[in-house]
Amino acid sequence: MPRDDKTGPVGYDVRDGVAVLTLDAPPVNALSAALRAALRAALARANADPAVRAVVVTGAGKLFSAGADITEFGKPARDPALPEVLAAIEASAKPVVAAVTGAALGGGCELTLACHARVAGRRASFGLPEVRLGLIPGAGGTQRLPRLIGPVAAFETMLSGRSLDAGAAKTAGLAEAVADDPLPRACALARDLAAAGTWPVTSAHPVAADAGTRAALSRATEEAMRRHGALSNTAALIRATEAALALPFAEGLALERAEFAALISSPQARALRHVFFAERQAAKVPGLDAATPTRPVARVAVIGAGTMGGGIATAFANAGIAVTLIETSDELLSRGIERIRAGYATSVRRGSVSENSAEAALAQISGAVGLQAVAGADLVIEAAFEDMAVKRAIFAEIGRAAGPGAILATNTSYLDVDEIAAASGRAGDVLGLHFFSPANVMRLLEVVRGGATRPEVLATAMALAKRIGKLAVVSGVGFGFIGNRMLAARTRAAERLLLAGNPPGRIDAAVTGFGFRMGSFAMTDLAGLDIGWRARKAFGGFAPVADRLAEMGRLGQKTGRGFYLYPEGARTGTADPEVADLAMTLGRELGIAPETLDAAAMTERLFLPMVNEAARILDEGIAARASDIDLVWINGYGWPVWTGGPMAWADDIGLRTVVAKLDAQARQLNLPELAPAPLLRRLAAEGRGFAGFDAERRAEGRA
Ligand code: T1G
């Protein structure tokens, strides 16, 4: 067999006594069963080859390896298991060095930990992101990483799922060297280890942990339980990390394996895998493909230096994209830029941004007065007052002032993008980019595809979203698009519970008990009751209590009173009996029967109408997939990610049950709007769920 050949997904090439094994399974060198078997075979071959003195493992393409093949999860396990292959690497009779070219994630990182040394390329990174999949590292990571970088650093790295770059890995003791090209350096190191006749075996060394380290680890694990205790893998990660300190390696490995096995079949892990693949599906837009051209975007103009405009400008500046912030007067412009500067100062104070990064981002932002300043921009984003007349006037002017290839976007939260586009005189260049506040923090971006939006305009927006770290979900044109239209359904349901005599605090407790960080009424107080009040005055909607409070000047936190009281500017509201009394009075006037519901019943009343509205959104083609809707609510409104999102949650309940409960709600409350949507009834009758709906749409090439 020739020296350099490709045994399946692992390349084998002997160079001056070193067998270079190359993981080569595009697109991400996932450690599939075939790759695991080929790697074990190639290692055995190197060990048996008398011409080979040492071994180097590296990755082809941009990554070292993305870790275990997630598509194998939830299916019968296939040999060889990854821990077995890694044990063979560690037990190799010849030294094995990892040449880490790009990202080494999950099992890919664990593979490097089983090697006897690691050389990192400049673009290398090492991460154990299993917690994001509802898991913990399952191939020795919880036992080997503490032995290499210490238990506290290891725990915090595994808990956050964040990667260490090459420099950080070298500093932490995870990488022996950093090199522009790690392969020759790794080969030289491997030869040196072979010549020395001895090399470090990670598992052979106990974890170094003095009393101070143990105390620091306890503090870290207590904090982890306080913040992430709702996730079952947090406790599992703690047990596995503590086992690394307390048990011999083999026993610690066995404990890790047992914890991993219990997690991988959990509903939480299944939900997080659903979200992982949903995020990748969302990037696939019907009608676009790799051949769809995109337009260059070097400069962005943002119209409106208010909270949203400032956040949007910050999001682009953070990505190193030049921004011109436009206002109608110097005074408003200065106020807007000062607000951005203050935001960076706060981030620097909190340590979430370095001083240099903040300065570099601020340097990207310039200001101008008047819409003519859009002339040099490749993308113009309008973030002005949420009023159709205002937006139409702006788009009429920027339609003329913006360059011929410029893309024009509106940040409207619910208005008709087609009507705005028509005012521009160049509707093909127009779409909606609905950012969520704070725009530089919230990951979700609803990309609203107008009836005339050109494919390359949409493709450019999707590529730009990824460039600025946003999760883009495409929506069609419809009031409230995807997220806000479902939010209106929850708001109506919450108001009805209020009018039936359930105080805001109890309703919000049901929402936070379900897993949201903030309740419905607390969120309205934070955003301001005037926003919803204006929208309902303009477009209708049901929120009699909120409307009355707004008309009383109780606008929420900004006025010290809303659904709750905020004495001395407190950030957490306290109950106000006046609101409950007002709700009861209005309920009586509206003929709403008093009823007191427990938390479980309240979550059904609040969330099933949202699922019903989502079924309509799907049926109307406003959203292409149910999984897109899951992403909108997880990333834009805080729906607990470990349930998979509202549509996955409904699937777990079963759509037949959902239909029956909605029918009962519609009858009991005498609200025809709650009757199950046609798509929901159809899927339930067919015994399918939203996942099946998405699969059918994918098969038809429509999602
Ligand atoms: N398994 C299977 N497929 C994967 C995959 C994986 N680990 N990672 C990515 N893909 C697919 C993805 O679905 C998409 O497919 C294509 O590759 C490109 O991905 C034992 C148990 C590596 C940073 O969590 O974070 O190891 O849509 O669009 O933007 O302890 O993919 O083209 O058909 O994301 O360049 C731990 C997950 C696994 C890393 C690249 N590893 N992946 O980002 O490309 S659990 C992870 C990512 C584990 C061990 C445990 C990213 C990326 P398609 P992409 P990208």
Side-chain angles (χ1 to χ4, degrees):
M1 189 182 285
R3 278 279 179 247
D4 47 350
D5 65 30
K6 198 148 167 342
T7 45
V10 174
Y12 188 93
D13 174 16
V14 180
R15 303 175 193 174
D16 186 13
V18 176
V20 178
L21 312 185
T22 304
L23 310 179
D24 190 3
V28 294
N29 297 334
L31 303 177
S32 64
L35 191 148
R36 299 194 300 270
L39 179 58
R40 183 174 62 176
L43 182 70
R45 180 180 169 194
N47 270 281
D49 185 340
V52 170
R53 302 198 303 276
V55 179
V56 164
V57 180
T58 191
K62 65 176 185 171
L63 294 119
F64 179 80
S65 167
D69 184 341
I70 304 174
T71 62
E72 292 182 1
F73 293 176
K75 297 170 186 164
R78 294 166 61 193
D79 287 336
L82 186 57
E84 279 174 53
V85 178
L86 303 195
I89 289 175
E90 196 168 56
S92 168
K94 300 173 183 175
V96 182
V97 176
V100 184
T101 44
L105 295 170
C109 177
E110 291 172 298
L111 193 166
T112 72
L113 302 182
C115 293
H116 304 118
R118 288 147 293 277
V119 176
R122 297 281 173 218
R123 290 187 306 105
S125 61
F126 300 78
L128 292 173
E130 287 86 340
V131 289
R132 296 177 184 164
L133 294 170
L135 304 171
I136 64 170
T142 66
Q143 307 303 305
R144 291 191 174 98
L145 192 61
R147 285 171 163 79
L148 282 167
I149 67 173
V152 180
F155 177 74
E156 287 171 347
T157 300
M158 294 186 284
L159 181 72
S160 69
R162 277 196 295 273
S163 291
L164 298 174
D165 66 19
K170 175 83 169 53
T171 305
L174 184 50
E176 277 67 26
V178 178
D180 290 338
D181 180 353
L183 188 54
R185 186 70 180 278
C187 291
L189 177 55
R191 288 189 195 94
D192 293 348
L193 292 175
T198 178
W199 44 84
V201 175
T202 304
S203 60
H205 304 292
V207 178
D210 57 21
T213 302
R214 291 176 189 279
L217 183 61
S218 295
R219 287 194 297 276
T221 56
E222 283 159 18
E223 173 67 5
M225 284 309 287
R226 191 181 65 76
R227 298 189 56 186
H228 310 289
L231 295 165
S232 53
N233 53 340
T234 303
L237 182 63
I238 291 170
R239 289 191 291 270
T241 307
E242 289 171 344
L245 277 73
L247 301 176
F249 180 78
E251 291 175 39
L253 207 59
L255 184 143
E256 173 196 88
R257 200 77 200 140
E259 297 283 2
F260 178 83
L263 288 169
I264 199 164
S265 53
S266 68
Q268 173 185 288
R270 192 173 61 247
L272 290 166
R273 280 198 297 278
H274 161 73
V275 171
F276 173 84
F277 289 113
E279 290 191 2
R280 281 136 190 92
Q281 283 304 316
K284 295 169 182 162
V285 180
L288 303 185
D289 59 28
T292 308
T294 56
R295 296 181 186 175
V297 177
R299 172 170 288 279
V300 175
V302 177
I303 299 170
T307 307
M308 281 309 292
I312 294 168
T314 303
F316 283 94
N318 288 344
I321 297 171
V323 181
T324 304
L325 192 58
I326 297 172
E327 255 299 351
T328 52
S329 70
D330 284 321
E331 193 246 336
L332 286 173
L333 179 63
S334 307
R335 200 185 304 167
I337 289 184
E338 195 37 51
R339 184 188 293 115
I340 293 171
R341 192 175 293 282
Y344 276 113
T346 303
S347 300
V348 169
R349 255 198 323 278
R350 286 179 181 157
S352 54
V353 171
S354 71
E355 189 118 22
N356 290 344
S357 306
E359 283 311 315
L362 277 165
Q364 294 289 351
I365 299 175
S366 58
V369 173
L371 294 176
Q372 294 311 312
V374 303
D378 307 302
L379 166 65
V380 182
I381 302 175
E382 169 271 318
F385 195 60
E386 196 69 350
D387 174 280
M388 182 56 84
V390 168
K391 293 184 186 300
R392 285 178 57 80
I394 289 172
F395 273 76
E397 187 165 348
I398 63 175
R400 292 187 297 272
I407 293 172
L408 312 179
T410 172
N411 174 55
T412 183
S413 327
Y414 47 74
L415 295 177
D416 185 330
V417 171
D418 287 337
E419 190 179 339
I420 294 169
S424 72
R426 44 196 281 191
D429 291 336
V430 180
L431 78 177
L433 292 179
H434 178 212
F435 289 82
F436 285 71
S437 185
N440 55 309
V441 174
M442 295 298 281
R443 219 178 141 221
L444 179 65
L445 177 64
E446 278 183 325
V447 178
V448 185
R449 180 180 204 167
T453 303
R454 290 198 181 95
E456 78 266 21
V457 168
L458 186 61
T460 304
M462 297 302 286
L464 198 57
K466 188 162 187 174
R467 192 172 152 198
I468 64 173
K470 296 297 179 190
L471 175 66
V473 173
V474 174
S475 170
V477 176
F479 189 80
F481 311 128
I482 298 171
N484 280 349
R485 180 167 160 184
M486 292 169 67
L487 178 63
R490 188 180 82 173
T491 301
R492 290 194 294 274
E495 278 274 344
R496 282 196 288 269
L497 287 171
L498 205 51
L499 293 162
N502 300 277
R506 282 194 59 242
I507 299 165
D508 276 358
V511 175
T512 53
F514 181 80
F516 284 84
R517 282 192 186 278
M518 186 174 270
S520 175
F521 297 113
M523 192 180 85
T524 304
D525 273 358
L526 177 65
L529 277 75
D530 46 331
I531 295 175
W533 180 84
R534 263 203 305 276
R536 287 187 292 273
K537 288 294 163 267
F539 303 98
F542 179 79
V545 180
D547 288 343
R548 182 66 62 84
L549 291 174
E551 286 149 10
M552 292 162 64
R554 298 184 58 143
L555 303 183
Q557 286 195 21
K558 59 187 170 186
T559 57
R561 302 191 311 156
F563 283 101
Y564 299 100
L565 297 174
Y566 300 87
E568 289 89 48
R571 301 281 291 165
T572 306
T574 51
D576 179 357
E578 190 183 326
V579 172
D581 294 344
L582 168 65
M584 287 295 284
T585 304
L586 287 173
R588 273 196 299 277
E589 288 169 7
L590 291 165
I592 291 178
E595 58 169 343
T596 302
L597 299 178
D598 65 15
M602 279 203 261
T603 50
E604 288 183 4
R605 283 284 184 83
L606 290 162
F607 302 150
L608 292 183
M610 290 172 57
V611 171
N612 206 24
E613 197 60 40
R616 296 187 185 108
I617 288 169
L618 276 175
D619 221 4
E620 293 164 22
I622 298 289
R625 311 176 184 87
S627 62
D628 283 0
I629 296 173
D630 285 329
L631 297 177
V632 165
W633 264 80
I634 289 167
N635 294 282
Y637 302 82
W639 186 285
V641 63
W642 59 84
T643 69
M647 314 307 269
W649 171 74
D651 276 356
D652 282 348
I653 293 171
L655 297 194
R656 281 205 177 93
T657 303
V658 169
V659 163
K661 286 175 178 293
L662 281 167
D663 270 328
Q665 285 189 27
R667 276 194 307 276
Q668 181 186 339
L669 302 174
N670 190 24
L671 287 170
E673 73 185 59
L674 292 184
L679 174 63
L680 197 51
R681 281 200 192 283
R682 189 170 85 241
L683 291 174
E686 293 165 0
R688 293 195 299 155
F690 289 115
F693 170 85
D694 281 358
E696 175 190 85
R697 279 269 179 103
R698 251 195 320 277
E700 294 163 359
R702 293 167 59 199

